[in-house]
Amino acid sequence: MPTSPHKPIIGLTASLENGKAFVREAYLTAVVESGGVPVVLSPLPGQAHHVVRLCDAFIFTGGDDPDMSAFGEAQHPTTTLIDARRQAFELELLHALDTHSNIPILGICLGMQMMGLHAGGTLDQHLPDSLETAEHHWNGHEHEIRGDLGTGIVYSHHRQALTSAGSFDVVARAADDVIEAIQDPAFPHRLGVQWHPEKTADSRFGLELFAALIRAASTSETS
């Protein structure tokens, strides 16, 4: 009997709230529809080096706000912090992935912010304080992005944004100059997007981002 072709295993970071670890269904559906097998990662520290050996690619998912005291900054009073254990695990995982450049990564919203902060970037913790058009990025608004990835309309839900990308290149911005996508020039496929591709109707900036991650994971397996 012929065996089924191997599908890439995609590890997804999980939220940790009220005693539950979870990933929103839209992320799982996007991975499955793009040809991957989603695996929800335990958001507890101390596992990153083991997890890296199990997965072919990673998605750092969205969520609430990072604790900026870990990066030497005071916390803005309006922020809603992610669980400290989730943040510790994700930073641990990013550190472990620094030495595995063949493993693709997609960061989404909070995930992009964590990638940028880990790479030495900076964060505006409350866009309404500094940006007249902050509401264009909040509560499921759709707006245009432009850059190396092309031009299109994306779905946004965030009140924070990177103000610099550290060692990443900025590859897309909104009309109000908010950083919308970052890419690591040193690694083959490491992309962070501020919007939510799992909810974006334009496939180029939606499902195609998941498909590209899975294609990259398939290629890295055979290289």
Side-chain angles (χ1 to χ4, degrees):
M1 177 180 291
T3 58
S4 300
H6 173 71
K7 292 184 176 182
I9 305 300
I10 312 301
L12 294 95
T13 62
S15 295
L16 188 58
E17 299 175 18
N18 300 320
K20 297 179 180 180
F22 63 91
V23 167
R24 299 193 184 280
E25 182 182 355
Y27 292 118
L28 305 177
T29 300
V31 171
V32 170
E33 290 182 354
S34 300
V37 177
V39 173
V40 180
L41 304 176
S42 165
L44 300 177
Q47 311 170 79
H49 289 283
H50 303 287
V51 168
V52 163
R53 295 196 292 267
L54 296 175
C55 298
D56 301 307
F58 291 90
I59 296 174
F60 286 76
T61 63
D64 288 324
D65 307 321
D67 182 354
M68 292 302 296
S69 65
F71 304 96
E73 292 189 22
Q75 199 68 34
H76 193 282
T78 64
T79 55
T80 301
L81 296 181
I82 60 172
D83 191 284
R85 293 165 294 177
R86 176 185 180 178
Q87 178 159 320
F89 169 70
E90 294 194 15
L91 290 174
E92 179 186 90
L93 181 55
L94 286 167
H95 180 72
L97 287 166
D98 285 342
T99 57
H100 291 79
S101 60
N102 62 313
I103 299 179
I105 303 171
L106 174 62
I108 297 171
C109 202
L110 168 67
M112 169 177 139
Q113 294 168 12
M114 295 294 288
M115 291 170 69
L117 289 168
H118 175 70
T122 55
L123 186 72
D124 183 331
Q125 296 186 56
H126 193 58
L127 288 176
D129 287 349
S130 58
L131 189 69
E132 291 183 359
T133 54
E135 286 301 314
H136 295 176
H137 299 271
W138 178 244
N139 203 27
H141 276 84
E142 294 183 327
H143 64 82
E144 186 177 78
I145 58 111
R146 293 177 176 268
D148 296 347
L149 302 180
T151 300
I153 303 298
V154 298
Y155 177 104
S156 283
H157 188 74
H158 64 99
R159 288 189 181 275
Q160 300 192 334
L162 292 174
T163 51
S164 67
S167 61
F168 283 84
D169 291 335
V170 176
V171 293
R173 290 183 182 269
D176 53 16
D177 212 36
V178 167
I179 294 174
E180 291 286 343
I182 60 174
Q183 195 161 33
D184 193 331
F187 296 143
H189 191 97
R190 299 209 167 173
L191 175 69
V193 296
Q194 186 56 68
W195 67 88
H196 282 269
E198 77 281 6
K199 296 182 178 181
T200 292
D202 186 336
S203 62
R204 295 172 302 156
F205 306 106
L207 199 60
E208 175 56 28
L209 298 188
F210 295 94
L213 179 80
I214 289 163
R215 287 196 300 269
S218 300
T219 301
S220 67
E221 289 173 17
T222 58
S223 60

